[in-house]
């Protein structure tokens, strides 16, 4: 089987083709023009990850929500499940930049941390 | 009347970096004027990550990037007034501003730094047919609703424009449960970063339609749908390609306009291509003691470059205030053959340092080279594997080279394939 992806390791945006055998093992990576492209394509096929940035509701703050991000990259297929968890949480003002709002989200070992301050109203 | 050495108009990344640099260079009397409730500018609503890779070597969100500078402004005890609108700059660098607590402010300043940023091109600039139904807004407005106010502006969304703000909002709306039906792009290519096309559109199977635009907005009180159509090479809709798409929201991400009303009113010379002031290598405008930096000067793709440019302006303003500027001898810069513009537009050859010229190309090139010529003679040539309108390029003119130039000379940068 063949999978075509666009490399985002740099702005060149090379089209990379990854050849897989029946067991899903990578046979070849072609189309990339550098080593980083090879590495990116292998991760993207075997274990794609994304960082997540969103907001968390705040009670009693000057703003209704405070922005947050994942402390590291999350498995791509867990992004929407993580959104559900994050949207069910309500932080209490004051929130400080760097506060952990959800720890070890869905057992991934990744925390959701505030990326701004939200003082008390 | 208040008196300051430097008044900075705008407390976003440009204004803060300029003020901090001026302070570092020995100017203590500085005032930042900010229209919004807090310092930070547009970064406050750009909650996605990717900021600071060049400047801090870290991937930060917008608010985190801004917070580093806000903390420094506080630490350095630089004065600022938020909720304050600058109204006018006079011939003698008096700045008029207004806010609720002080009323009208009259501030005599030795130097002024313009750091007002951009605003988005509005619907009115596009001439799309249709009623004034609610649900049509700029991508940045939607970004503020979602990320700062915590409201979702719609459920079924069409986005016009595939610049980075449009792409980022396609992902943001999708993550919050909206259905983004399509992103239309008038041009045959997206001006957004490849990374954003992959991670904001492809990840969620959001179609990107190139050479396509919105030609009609339907609905009376609320948007009910839009008509899109393909366009020809002259960007004219092609009859017969119209398609109706049901939606309740249309987001516009169709370009940024530097907010230069104050600049224009005081008669500062503007560059018709950048829509920002014409500046020298210190980012000083045609008006003595008035400097400009950040998106009000030209639209940047990375905030990291805004910070660097604003430090240049801050240093220039400090030198202006502290004295020691000699009578300048200028050469001019000009983008030709594929290079849309160069900033700065003029360079003082008596400058003591190297000068970095920033430029932007008008289309995508692969395996091209950029050539710098002085009075028609090639002085620098560099191979570029990829050039794109969305990515600012730069070239350094070394000081010893500069010393060899004569007043009135012209530096041209071009693309050769």
């Amino acid at each position: 089987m063949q999978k075509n992806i666009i490399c985002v390791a740099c702005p060149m945006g090379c089209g990379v083709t990854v050849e897989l055998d029946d067991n899903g093992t990578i046979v070849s990576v072609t189309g990339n023009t550098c080593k980083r492209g090879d590495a990116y394509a292998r991760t993207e096929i075997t274990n794609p990850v994304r960082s997540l940035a969103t907001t968390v509701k705040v009670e009693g703050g000057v703003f209704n929500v405070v922005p947050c991000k994942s402390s590291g990259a999350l498995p791509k297929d867990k992004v929407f499940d993580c959104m559900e968890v994050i949207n069910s949480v309500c932080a209490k003002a004051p929130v400080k930049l760097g506060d952990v709002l959800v720890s070890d989200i869905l057992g991934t070992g990744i925390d959701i941390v505030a990326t701004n301050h939200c003082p008390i109203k | 009347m208040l008196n300051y050495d430097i008044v900075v108009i705008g407390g976003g990344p440009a204004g803060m970096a300029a003020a901090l640099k001026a302070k570092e260079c020995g100017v203590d009397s500085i005032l930042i004027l900010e229209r919004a409730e807090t310092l930070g500018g547009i970064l406050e609503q750009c909650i996605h990550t990717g900021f600071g890779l060049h400047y801090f070597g870290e991937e930060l969100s917008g608010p985190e990037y801004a917070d580093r500078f806000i903390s420094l402004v506080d630490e350095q005890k630089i004065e600022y007034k938020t909720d304050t609108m600058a109204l006018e700059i006079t011939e003698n660098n008096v700045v008029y501003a207004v806010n609720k607590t002080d009323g009208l402010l009259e501030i005599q300043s030795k130097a002024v730094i313009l750091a007002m940023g951009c605003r988005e091109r509005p619907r009115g600039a596009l001439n799309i047919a249709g009623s004034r139904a609610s649900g049509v807004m700029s991508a940045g407005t939607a970004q503020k609703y979602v990320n700062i106010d915590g409201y979702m502006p719609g459920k079924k969304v069409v986005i016009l424009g595939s610049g980075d703000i449009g792409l980022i909002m396609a992902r943001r709306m999708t993550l919050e449960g909206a259905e983004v039906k399509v992103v239309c792009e008038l041009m045959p290519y997206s001006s957004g970063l490849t990374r954003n096309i992959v991670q904001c559109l492809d990840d969620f199977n959001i179609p990107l339609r190139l050479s396509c635009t919105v030609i009609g907005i339907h609905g009376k009180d609320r948007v009910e749908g839009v008509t899109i159509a393909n366009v020809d090479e002259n960007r004219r809709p092609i009859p017969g390609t119209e398609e109706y798409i049901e939606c309740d929201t249309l987001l516009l991400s169709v370009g940024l306009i530097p907010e230069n009303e104050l600049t224009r009113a005081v008669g500062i010379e503007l560059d018709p291509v950048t829509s920002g002031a014409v500046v020298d290598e210190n980012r000083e405008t045609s008006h003595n003691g008035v400097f400009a930096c950040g998106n009000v000067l030209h639209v940047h793709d990375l905030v990291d470059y805004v910070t660097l440019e604003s430090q240049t302006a801050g240093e220039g303003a400090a030198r202006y205030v502290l004295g020691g500027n000699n009578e300048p001898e200028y050469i001019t810069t000009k983008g030709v053959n594929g290079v849309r513009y160069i900033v700065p537009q003029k360079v003082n050859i008596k400058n003591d340092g190297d000068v970095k010229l920033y430029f932007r190309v008008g289309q995508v090139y692969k395996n091209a080279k950029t050539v710098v010529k002085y009075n028609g003679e090639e002085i620098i040539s560099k191979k570029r594997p990829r050039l794109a309108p969305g990515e600012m390029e730069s070239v350094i003119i070394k000081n010893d080279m500069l010393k060899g130039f004569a007043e009135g000379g012209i530096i041209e940068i071009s693309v050769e394939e």
Side-chain angles (χ1 to χ4, degrees), chain A residues 6 8 11-13 40 50-55 63-65 67 69 76 79-80 83 87 97 115-117, chain B residues 44 47-49 59 61 63-64 67 147-151 172 174-176 194-195 198 203-204 386 391:
Chain A
I6 299 166
V8 300
M12 282 286 287
Y40 171 81
R50 295 290 184 269
S51 55
L52 177 62
T54 177
T55 51
F63 301 110
N64 295 332
V65 292
K69 69 175 182 184
K76 188 182 162 189
V79 164
F80 276 103
M83 279 301 293
N87 282 343
L97 193 153
T115 55
N116 209 350
H117 309 278
Chain B
E44 296 294 307
I47 65 163
H48 55 281
T49 57
E59 202 171 334
S61 70
E64 288 174 303
D67 186 67
N147 294 345
I148 306 244
D149 302 332
Y151 297 113
R172 187 73 189 109
T174 308
L175 284 174
E176 291 294 352
T194 312
R195 182 191 172 86
V198 172
D203 271 8
F204 306 103
R386 184 189 137 95
E391 284 152 39

Side-chain angles (χ1 to χ4, degrees), chain B residues 29 57 64 68 88 100 153 161 171 192-193 204 208 242 246 274 283 316 327 359 362 397 408 412:
Chain B
S29 160
E64 288 174 303
R68 298 209 172 177
E88 190 189 343
K100 280 187 199 163
R171 172 173 64 187
L193 297 170
F204 306 103
L208 171 62
E242 300 90 352
E246 190 205 334
T274 59
R283 306 301 186 267
E327 196 57 37
F359 61 97
I397 309 288
E412 288 178 324

Side-chain angles (χ1 to χ4, degrees), chain B residues 15-57:
Chain B
M16 289 193 289
L20 284 162
K21 190 68 183 184
K23 172 98 186 185
E24 189 191 315
C25 292
V27 178
D28 282 323
S29 160
I30 303 171
L31 176 66
I32 303 174
L33 302 176
E34 167 57 46
R35 182 170 59 184
E37 294 157 19
T38 57
L39 292 177
I42 206 69
L43 286 175
E44 296 294 307
Q45 66 182 61
C46 300
I47 65 163
H48 55 281
T49 57
F51 303 90
L53 274 169
H54 291 261
Y55 192 74
F56 290 114

